[in-house]
Amino acid sequence: MNNSTDNHKFALTTPLYYVNGVPHIGSAYTTIVADAVARFQRLQGKSVLFITGTDEHGQKIQRTATEQGLEPQVHCDRIVESFKSLWEQLNIQYDRFSRTTASEHQTIVNEFFERVWKQGDIYLDRQQGWYCVSCEEFKEDRELIEDHHCAIHTNKQAEWRDEQNYFFRLSKYQQQLEELCESQPDFIQPVSRRNEVLNFIKQGLKDFSISRVNLDWGFPIPVDEEHTIYVWFDALLGYITALLEPGQEPSLDNALSQWWPINLHLIGKDILRFHAVYWPAMLASAGLPLPKRVFGHGFLTKDGLKMGKTLGNTIDPFDLVDRYGSDAVRYYFLKEIELGKDGDFNETRFINVLNADLANDLGNLLNRTLGMLTKYCQGNGPQLTSTDYSSDHPLKSIGMDLGDRVIQAYKNLQFSQACQEILTLVRASNKYIDDSAPWSLFKQEKQTEVEQILYAVLESVRLSAYLLSPIIPNISSKIYQQLGFDWDFNSHQQAQAKENFPIHSSWGKLSTNKTLGKASPIFSKLELPSED
Ligand code: MSP
C-alpha cells in the first residue's frame, strides 16, 4: 500500500451501477462528472485509474431477469453492453469496468469476508423489518411513507422480512466513524452531506445484515452455503477487485498493492450511507486504510419534477447524446448544475445555454478572430507573448491567474464555477474585440496594433479551450487544431505530458507563431425539436 503518500496517482470510482435496466440519466450524470475529474487529473500529469462498472447480484436483478424470462447472467451481460456503449457515446475514458459477477471478484469477497469473520465482526441473528428491493435495503419506519412505501421509490412497497441473517458489527465502529468525520472534515463532501452522515452516526449505529436467505443470485457466505452475501457487501468490494491488473492472480494483497486507498468515490446522495458509514467500517474491520474522499452529488429533476417511469418523464441519455453530441450533454450537466446540489434538466434551457456559451460566445469568437487573421495577417499567428502586454490589459489581467483559479475549482469539484470563470475571459474577449475594432485599425494601417489585439484574443480562446478540455474534450481539440496545434485532448499521452503543464494553463505563454488551421464552426447552433 504505497499510494497514500504517492501524489502522482489518482484513483476514482463511480458507483457500480445496477443492471436492472439500461443506464438512465442519473448514472450518466455521475459518470460524466467522474470522467471530467479523471481528465483533469490526467491533465495535471497524474497517473489515473478511473473505475466504473456494474453491480449485478441481488434480488432486484434476479427478479428483473425472471420477468424477462432470462437467466440472470444472460440478462446482466446484455445490460452491461448498453452501459459500455453509452460510455463510449459520451466519450467516457474509464480504465476499468468492474463487474460483480466476475470470478476474481468472488475470490476477493471471500478473502475479505474471512478477515472480517476473524475479527469477530460477523454473527448470526434474527432480522425483522421492511425491505425495499429497489434500494436493496432494510428501512426504518421513519424512512417509509404511507402504506410502507419507500420514500425513494414511492411507487414500490417495502416487503416484510423475518429471517435468520448474518450481521456485521457496525455498532463497534460508532466511535471510530464519529472521529473520522470530526477529524477529517473533507472525508465526506459537500459539507451538507457530511453533516447528514454525522447526524446519522450520532443517532447510534445499528449492526446490519450482510446475508440473505432464499436468494441464489449472489455469492454464498463462505462459512454457510445456505446464505447468500448481501448485494451491498459484495458490491462495495467491487471497488477493490477493480484494482487488480488484468489477468493478475486475485488476492487482496495484489489488489491493494498499487492504487489503494482510492482518492475519490463519486456517488449520488441516495447511496451516501453505504459509502460513508458501512464501507469505512467494513474496511476498518478488515484492517485496511480508508478512502480519502466520498463526494455525494445531488439529484436531477426534469422540468422541475422528480423523474420516474410511472410519470413517464425520464430523460433517455442515449437519445440526448444522439441528438446533441457528447460535449453538449457533458457541458450542460457540469456547468448548469452546481455539483452537490440538486439540478434540473429542461430542454429549452439546455439549448439556450449551449447556444449562448459554446456556439456564440466561444465559437463565434474563434471564428471571427481567425477570419480577421486571414484577412489582416495572411493567417499567420502574431509573434507575441505575455510580456508584450501591460498587466492591466483587459484580457491579460483576467488570463494571468485564470489557470490557478480554474485548477482550484476543479480540485474542489466546482465544475460550474470553473466554467463561469472561463466564460468571464471569453466574454471579456468578445467585448475587447468590439471595443478595440481591429477592422478600423487595419484600415488605418495600424498593423502592430491589429496583431496585438488578435493575439490577445486567440490566446484567450486557447487558454479557455485548454481549461475546458476535461468538460468538452472534442470542442477543445477542434479549437487547438484550428489554432495550429497538433493536439488531441482525447489522447492520454498528450494530456499527461507533464512538460506541457503548466504552460498551457498560463495566459500568453504560447506562441502562435505558425500557420493557423482553417476556421470552421466548432459548435453548430442547436434548435429546439419541433413539437410533432
Ligand atoms: N448498485 C448501487 C451502487 C453500488 S456501488 C458499490 C446503485 N446503483 S444505481 O444504478 O442505482 O446507481 C445509480 C447512480 O445514479 C447513483 O449514484 C445514484 O445516486 C444516481 N442517480 C439515480 N437517480 C438519480 C437522479 N435522478 N439524479 C442524479 N443521480 C441519480 O445505487
Side-chain angles (χ1 to χ4, degrees), residues 83-109:
F83 273 93
K84 288 187 174 168
S85 134
L86 180 63
W87 300 157
E88 197 180 322
Q89 290 176 54
L90 280 169
N91 201 1
I92 306 294
Q93 294 186 327
Y94 57 84
D95 299 293
R96 298 279 158 80
F97 194 100
S98 186
R99 295 185 60 177
T100 58
T101 50
S103 62
E104 62 269 24
H105 182 54
Q106 183 163 14
T107 315
I108 296 290
V109 171

Short mmCIF file of all heavy atoms in Angstrom, two decimals, residues 83-109:
data_model
loop_
_atom_site.label_atom_id
_atom_site.label_comp_id
_atom_site.label_asym_id
_atom_site.label_seq_id
_atom_site.Cartn_x
_atom_site.Cartn_y
_atom_site.Cartn_z
N PHE A 83 -24.40 -0.29 -21.10
CA PHE A 83 -23.61 0.68 -20.31
C PHE A 83 -22.34 1.04 -21.08
O PHE A 83 -22.01 2.22 -21.25
CB PHE A 83 -23.24 0.11 -18.94
CG PHE A 83 -24.30 0.36 -17.89
CD1 PHE A 83 -25.29 -0.57 -17.64
CD2 PHE A 83 -24.29 1.54 -17.15
CE1 PHE A 83 -26.27 -0.34 -16.68
CE2 PHE A 83 -25.26 1.78 -16.19
CZ PHE A 83 -26.25 0.84 -15.96
N LYS A 84 -21.65 0.01 -21.57
CA LYS A 84 -20.38 0.29 -22.27
C LYS A 84 -20.62 1.15 -23.50
O LYS A 84 -19.83 2.03 -23.81
CB LYS A 84 -19.71 -1.03 -22.66
CG LYS A 84 -19.15 -1.76 -21.44
CD LYS A 84 -18.34 -2.97 -21.85
CE LYS A 84 -17.66 -3.60 -20.64
NZ LYS A 84 -17.10 -4.93 -20.93
N SER A 85 -21.75 0.90 -24.16
CA SER A 85 -21.99 1.67 -25.36
C SER A 85 -22.33 3.14 -25.03
O SER A 85 -21.88 4.06 -25.71
CB SER A 85 -23.06 0.95 -26.18
OG SER A 85 -24.02 1.82 -26.64
N LEU A 86 -23.08 3.34 -23.95
CA LEU A 86 -23.36 4.74 -23.58
C LEU A 86 -22.07 5.47 -23.19
O LEU A 86 -21.88 6.63 -23.55
CB LEU A 86 -24.39 4.80 -22.44
CG LEU A 86 -24.75 6.23 -21.99
CD1 LEU A 86 -25.42 7.02 -23.11
CD2 LEU A 86 -25.67 6.22 -20.76
N TRP A 87 -21.21 4.76 -22.47
CA TRP A 87 -19.96 5.44 -22.05
C TRP A 87 -19.12 5.81 -23.27
O TRP A 87 -18.50 6.86 -23.31
CB TRP A 87 -19.15 4.57 -21.08
CG TRP A 87 -19.88 4.22 -19.80
CD1 TRP A 87 -19.62 3.16 -19.00
CD2 TRP A 87 -20.98 4.93 -19.17
NE1 TRP A 87 -20.47 3.14 -17.92
CE2 TRP A 87 -21.32 4.21 -18.01
CE3 TRP A 87 -21.71 6.08 -19.47
CZ2 TRP A 87 -22.36 4.59 -17.15
CZ3 TRP A 87 -22.76 6.46 -18.63
CH2 TRP A 87 -23.06 5.74 -17.50
N GLU A 88 -19.18 4.96 -24.26
CA GLU A 88 -18.43 5.30 -25.47
C GLU A 88 -19.03 6.53 -26.14
O GLU A 88 -18.32 7.45 -26.53
CB GLU A 88 -18.47 4.10 -26.41
CG GLU A 88 -17.40 4.19 -27.46
CD GLU A 88 -17.45 2.99 -28.40
OE1 GLU A 88 -17.71 1.86 -27.92
OE2 GLU A 88 -17.25 3.21 -29.60
N GLN A 89 -20.36 6.54 -26.21
CA GLN A 89 -21.00 7.69 -26.87
C GLN A 89 -20.79 8.99 -26.11
O GLN A 89 -20.78 10.07 -26.70
CB GLN A 89 -22.49 7.42 -27.04
CG GLN A 89 -22.75 6.34 -28.08
CD GLN A 89 -24.22 6.02 -28.18
OE1 GLN A 89 -25.03 6.90 -28.39
NE2 GLN A 89 -24.57 4.76 -28.02
N LEU A 90 -20.65 8.88 -24.80
CA LEU A 90 -20.45 10.09 -24.00
C LEU A 90 -18.96 10.45 -23.87
O LEU A 90 -18.60 11.36 -23.14
CB LEU A 90 -21.06 9.92 -22.61
CG LEU A 90 -22.57 10.13 -22.51
CD1 LEU A 90 -23.08 9.66 -21.15
CD2 LEU A 90 -22.93 11.60 -22.71
N ASN A 91 -18.13 9.70 -24.59
CA ASN A 91 -16.68 9.94 -24.56
C ASN A 91 -16.11 9.80 -23.14
O ASN A 91 -15.32 10.63 -22.69
CB ASN A 91 -16.37 11.33 -25.14
CG ASN A 91 -14.95 11.47 -25.62
OD1 ASN A 91 -14.17 10.52 -25.54
ND2 ASN A 91 -14.59 12.65 -26.07
N ILE A 92 -16.52 8.73 -22.48
CA ILE A 92 -16.04 8.45 -21.13
C ILE A 92 -14.81 7.57 -21.24
O ILE A 92 -14.88 6.48 -21.81
CB ILE A 92 -17.12 7.70 -20.29
CG1 ILE A 92 -18.46 8.45 -20.28
CG2 ILE A 92 -16.61 7.39 -18.89
CD1 ILE A 92 -18.47 9.77 -19.58
N GLN A 93 -13.69 8.06 -20.69
CA GLN A 93 -12.44 7.27 -20.79
C GLN A 93 -12.17 6.56 -19.47
O GLN A 93 -11.32 7.00 -18.69
CB GLN A 93 -11.29 8.18 -21.16
CG GLN A 93 -11.44 8.78 -22.57
CD GLN A 93 -10.22 9.57 -22.99
OE1 GLN A 93 -9.56 10.20 -22.17
NE2 GLN A 93 -9.93 9.58 -24.28
N TYR A 94 -12.90 5.47 -19.22
CA TYR A 94 -12.63 4.74 -17.98
C TYR A 94 -11.48 3.77 -18.20
O TYR A 94 -11.18 3.38 -19.34
CB TYR A 94 -13.89 3.99 -17.51
CG TYR A 94 -14.46 3.01 -18.51
CD1 TYR A 94 -13.96 1.72 -18.62
CD2 TYR A 94 -15.51 3.38 -19.35
CE1 TYR A 94 -14.48 0.82 -19.55
CE2 TYR A 94 -16.03 2.49 -20.29
CZ TYR A 94 -15.51 1.22 -20.37
OH TYR A 94 -16.01 0.34 -21.29
N ASP A 95 -10.83 3.41 -17.09
CA ASP A 95 -9.72 2.46 -17.18
C ASP A 95 -10.14 1.04 -16.84
O ASP A 95 -9.59 0.09 -17.33
CB ASP A 95 -8.59 2.89 -16.24
CG ASP A 95 -8.07 4.26 -16.61
OD1 ASP A 95 -7.47 4.38 -17.68
OD2 ASP A 95 -8.29 5.22 -15.84
N ARG A 96 -11.09 0.91 -15.91
CA ARG A 96 -11.54 -0.43 -15.51
C ARG A 96 -13.05 -0.48 -15.50
O ARG A 96 -13.70 0.48 -15.05
CB ARG A 96 -11.05 -0.77 -14.09
CG ARG A 96 -9.55 -0.80 -13.91
CD ARG A 96 -8.96 -2.13 -14.39
NE ARG A 96 -7.55 -1.99 -14.71
CZ ARG A 96 -6.56 -1.98 -13.83
NH1 ARG A 96 -6.84 -2.17 -12.55
NH2 ARG A 96 -5.31 -1.82 -14.19
N PHE A 97 -13.58 -1.59 -15.95
CA PHE A 97 -15.02 -1.81 -15.85
C PHE A 97 -15.19 -3.03 -14.95
O PHE A 97 -14.90 -4.15 -15.31
CB PHE A 97 -15.62 -2.07 -17.24
CG PHE A 97 -17.11 -1.98 -17.26
CD1 PHE A 97 -17.76 -0.84 -17.72
CD2 PHE A 97 -17.89 -3.04 -16.79
CE1 PHE A 97 -19.15 -0.76 -17.73
CE2 PHE A 97 -19.28 -2.96 -16.80
CZ PHE A 97 -19.91 -1.82 -17.27
N SER A 98 -15.61 -2.79 -13.70
CA SER A 98 -15.66 -3.85 -12.70
C SER A 98 -17.05 -4.48 -12.66
O SER A 98 -18.05 -3.79 -12.46
CB SER A 98 -15.34 -3.22 -11.33
OG SER A 98 -15.24 -4.19 -10.33
N ARG A 99 -17.11 -5.79 -12.85
CA ARG A 99 -18.41 -6.48 -12.80
C ARG A 99 -18.42 -7.39 -11.58
O ARG A 99 -17.49 -8.17 -11.37
CB ARG A 99 -18.62 -7.31 -14.07
CG ARG A 99 -18.72 -6.49 -15.33
CD ARG A 99 -19.05 -7.35 -16.52
NE ARG A 99 -20.33 -8.06 -16.36
CZ ARG A 99 -20.87 -8.84 -17.28
NH1 ARG A 99 -20.26 -9.02 -18.43
NH2 ARG A 99 -22.02 -9.45 -17.06
N THR A 100 -19.50 -7.30 -10.81
CA THR A 100 -19.51 -8.11 -9.57
C THR A 100 -19.75 -9.59 -9.84
O THR A 100 -19.65 -10.39 -8.93
CB THR A 100 -20.55 -7.57 -8.57
OG1 THR A 100 -21.83 -7.60 -9.20
CG2 THR A 100 -20.22 -6.18 -8.10
N THR A 101 -20.08 -9.96 -11.08
CA THR A 101 -20.22 -11.39 -11.37
C THR A 101 -18.90 -11.99 -11.87
O THR A 101 -18.86 -13.16 -12.22
CB THR A 101 -21.32 -11.64 -12.43
OG1 THR A 101 -21.08 -10.79 -13.55
CG2 THR A 101 -22.69 -11.37 -11.87
N ALA A 102 -17.84 -11.20 -11.89
CA ALA A 102 -16.55 -11.73 -12.35
C ALA A 102 -16.01 -12.73 -11.34
O ALA A 102 -16.17 -12.54 -10.13
CB ALA A 102 -15.55 -10.58 -12.53
N SER A 103 -15.34 -13.78 -11.82
CA SER A 103 -14.91 -14.84 -10.90
C SER A 103 -13.85 -14.34 -9.92
O SER A 103 -13.83 -14.73 -8.76
CB SER A 103 -14.40 -16.05 -11.67
OG SER A 103 -13.27 -15.66 -12.42
N GLU A 104 -12.97 -13.43 -10.37
CA GLU A 104 -11.94 -12.94 -9.43
C GLU A 104 -12.58 -12.15 -8.29
O GLU A 104 -12.05 -12.06 -7.19
CB GLU A 104 -10.86 -12.13 -10.14
CG GLU A 104 -11.29 -10.86 -10.82
CD GLU A 104 -11.68 -11.07 -12.29
OE1 GLU A 104 -12.06 -12.21 -12.65
OE2 GLU A 104 -11.65 -10.09 -13.04
N HIS A 105 -13.76 -11.62 -8.59
CA HIS A 105 -14.44 -10.84 -7.54
C HIS A 105 -14.84 -11.75 -6.38
O HIS A 105 -14.72 -11.38 -5.21
CB HIS A 105 -15.65 -10.11 -8.13
CG HIS A 105 -16.38 -9.26 -7.14
ND1 HIS A 105 -15.74 -8.30 -6.40
CD2 HIS A 105 -17.68 -9.24 -6.74
CE1 HIS A 105 -16.62 -7.72 -5.60
NE2 HIS A 105 -17.80 -8.29 -5.78
N GLN A 106 -15.29 -12.95 -6.72
CA GLN A 106 -15.70 -13.87 -5.66
C GLN A 106 -14.50 -14.19 -4.74
O GLN A 106 -14.65 -14.25 -3.51
CB GLN A 106 -16.27 -15.17 -6.25
CG GLN A 106 -16.76 -16.11 -5.15
CD GLN A 106 -17.68 -17.19 -5.68
OE1 GLN A 106 -17.76 -17.42 -6.88
NE2 GLN A 106 -18.38 -17.85 -4.78
N THR A 107 -13.34 -14.36 -5.33
CA THR A 107 -12.14 -14.65 -4.52
C THR A 107 -11.87 -13.49 -3.55
O THR A 107 -11.57 -13.69 -2.38
CB THR A 107 -10.92 -14.85 -5.46
OG1 THR A 107 -11.32 -15.68 -6.54
CG2 THR A 107 -9.76 -15.46 -4.72
N ILE A 108 -11.98 -12.29 -4.07
CA ILE A 108 -11.73 -11.11 -3.22
C ILE A 108 -12.79 -11.02 -2.11
O ILE A 108 -12.47 -10.77 -0.94
CB ILE A 108 -11.76 -9.81 -4.10
CG1 ILE A 108 -10.63 -9.82 -5.12
CG2 ILE A 108 -11.74 -8.55 -3.24
CD1 ILE A 108 -9.23 -9.66 -4.56
N VAL A 109 -14.04 -11.24 -2.48
CA VAL A 109 -15.12 -11.15 -1.49
C VAL A 109 -14.88 -12.19 -0.38
O VAL A 109 -14.98 -11.89 0.81
CB VAL A 109 -16.50 -11.35 -2.15
CG1 VAL A 109 -17.61 -11.49 -1.11
CG2 VAL A 109 -16.82 -10.18 -3.09
#
